């Protein structure tokens, strides 16, 4: 008799496990979904089931895709000589939103961490070295986050790539576009000053 | 070739339409779902499809349920002489979490608003009057929000119920449990003082 209510409770409990949603916002989201069950809830359930069935890691770069090899790796218009190394798929999407990079990616899946026992093998670093050799890569761009973990990982990869004679670069550090000096941390200001350019 | 990516984009666009989620948090949620596609994403899609198919408004009280008449209205253990009037299903759930009310509910679906052209008919107020008569109700508890709109609606309902000789009550106003006077608004302190009780 309470079947319907139990389903709704179950839905709320599952929604509450999403990052950024707690029990209260999950309840609000579920009520919103129910009030739009035709236009929003049914299509959302369907697309979600499709993605759950089809999404997988690209065998080459680690991007999320519906194919064994992702659209970026398969795209013949992407430059073949450059690999951009990022921590996770969210960073890959951020790079793509910038529309600035025309090469291919390599998703590490995290950063090195002795505490969490995350070593180079867990992070697809051996795969990266294999790709650099087999795909004839000329430049590896390290687009890791400007955190201690990100930079530690970047140094590790740069050292591993050194004997291979490939050019290793990293994203420039400086004042973000629209950034106000007064709100920037000291490290960013120091980095921007050290990397100053002729005006 | 980009099928998989398009599905993921579509999923993010739909998730971003949930209250409390924007494009960025929708992306985070989708990446989290994909990383747990077996334990979380597939079950979530399934329950969501079930609820989208089965959820409907209870024909009697307006609660959301999987049945034509909801479990609360069908429950023979609930007191039959009392109806608690609330604005929406979220408020019904909040009342149920309090475990204090043992009667049945009537969900208005909003508050009266001349600006938004929401009149008594839109709000199931005629249904309420019919229920009070046909179900032999002795007390109607108005548990509407303590906002201007909620209280306007409460006054309208109280007036409509007056000729029917039913007792009309409302939730007490005062200091919330755990509340500190310094953080309360003036209106609440005034209401609590006016309704003061012997200690």
């Amino acid at each position: 008799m309470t079947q319907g209510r139990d389903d709704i409770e179950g839905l709320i409990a599952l929604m509450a496990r999403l990052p950024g949603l707690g029990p209260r916002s999950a309840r609000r989201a579920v009520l919103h979904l129910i009030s739009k069950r035709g236009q929003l809830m049914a299509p959302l359930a369907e697309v979600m089931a499709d993605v759950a069935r089809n999404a997988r890691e690209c065998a080459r770069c680690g991007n999320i895709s519906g194919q064994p090899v992702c659209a970026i790796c398969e795209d013949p218009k992407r430059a073949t000589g450059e690999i951009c190394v990022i921590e996770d798929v969210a960073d890959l999407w951020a790079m793509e939103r910038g529309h600035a990079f025309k090469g291919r990616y390599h998703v590490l899946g995290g950063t090195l961490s002795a505490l969490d026992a995350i070593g180079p093998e867990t992070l697809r670093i051996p795969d990266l070295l294999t790709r650099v050799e087999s795909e004839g890569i000329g430049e590896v761009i390290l687009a890791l986050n400007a955190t201690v973990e990100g930079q530690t990982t970047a140094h590790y990869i740069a050292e591993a790539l050194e004997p291979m004679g490939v050019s290793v670069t990293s994203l420039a550090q400086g004042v973000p576009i629209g950034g106000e000096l007064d709100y920037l941390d000291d490290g960013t200001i120091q980095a921007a000053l050290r990397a100053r350019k002729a005006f």
Side-chain angles (χ1 to χ4, degrees), chain A residues 117-175:
Chain A
I118 299 180
E121 291 73 26
T122 325
L123 291 185
R124 312 167 52 94
I125 291 178
D127 291 359
L128 173 64
L129 305 183
T130 312
R131 283 186 71 189
V132 167
E133 215 153 28
S134 66
E135 296 180 22
I137 301 299
E139 179 176 359
V140 173
I141 302 164
L142 300 175
L144 303 179
N145 290 330
T147 56
V148 174
E149 298 79 16
Q151 294 309 303
T152 308
T153 309
H155 279 111
Y156 178 89
I157 294 175
E159 265 180 46
L161 288 171
E162 216 195 337
M164 307 179 79
V166 63
S167 155
V168 180
T169 57
S170 70
L171 293 187
Q173 294 191 314
V175 181

Side-chain angles (χ1 to χ4, degrees), chain A residues 10 27 33 35 37-38 45-46 51 53 63 72 78 85 88 90 96 101 107-108 110 119 124 145 148 156 163 187:
Chain A
R27 280 199 297 272
L33 281 171
S35 74
R37 49 191 176 282
E46 198 177 321
V51 173
R53 211 167 22 243
N63 185 15
I72 294 176
R78 309 286 300 212
V85 177
D88 54 33
E96 285 292 285
F101 179 64
V107 181
L108 292 179
R124 312 167 52 94
N145 290 330
V148 174
Y156 178 89

Side-chain angles (χ1 to χ4, degrees), chain A residues 58 60-67 69-80 82-84 86 89 91-97 101-107 131 135:
Chain A
C58 169
R60 202 172 298 163
C61 74
N63 185 15
I64 294 290
S65 156
Q67 309 293 326
V69 173
C70 77
I72 294 176
C73 284
E74 292 277 28
D75 185 349
K77 291 199 293 288
R78 309 286 300 212
T80 50
E82 296 169 10
I83 284 185
C84 176
I86 59 271
V89 175
D91 293 344
L92 188 158
W93 292 354
M95 290 292 298
E96 285 292 285
R97 283 198 299 280
F101 179 64
K102 298 296 176 207
R104 287 173 183 156
Y105 293 95
H106 193 81
V107 181
R131 283 186 71 189
E135 296 180 22

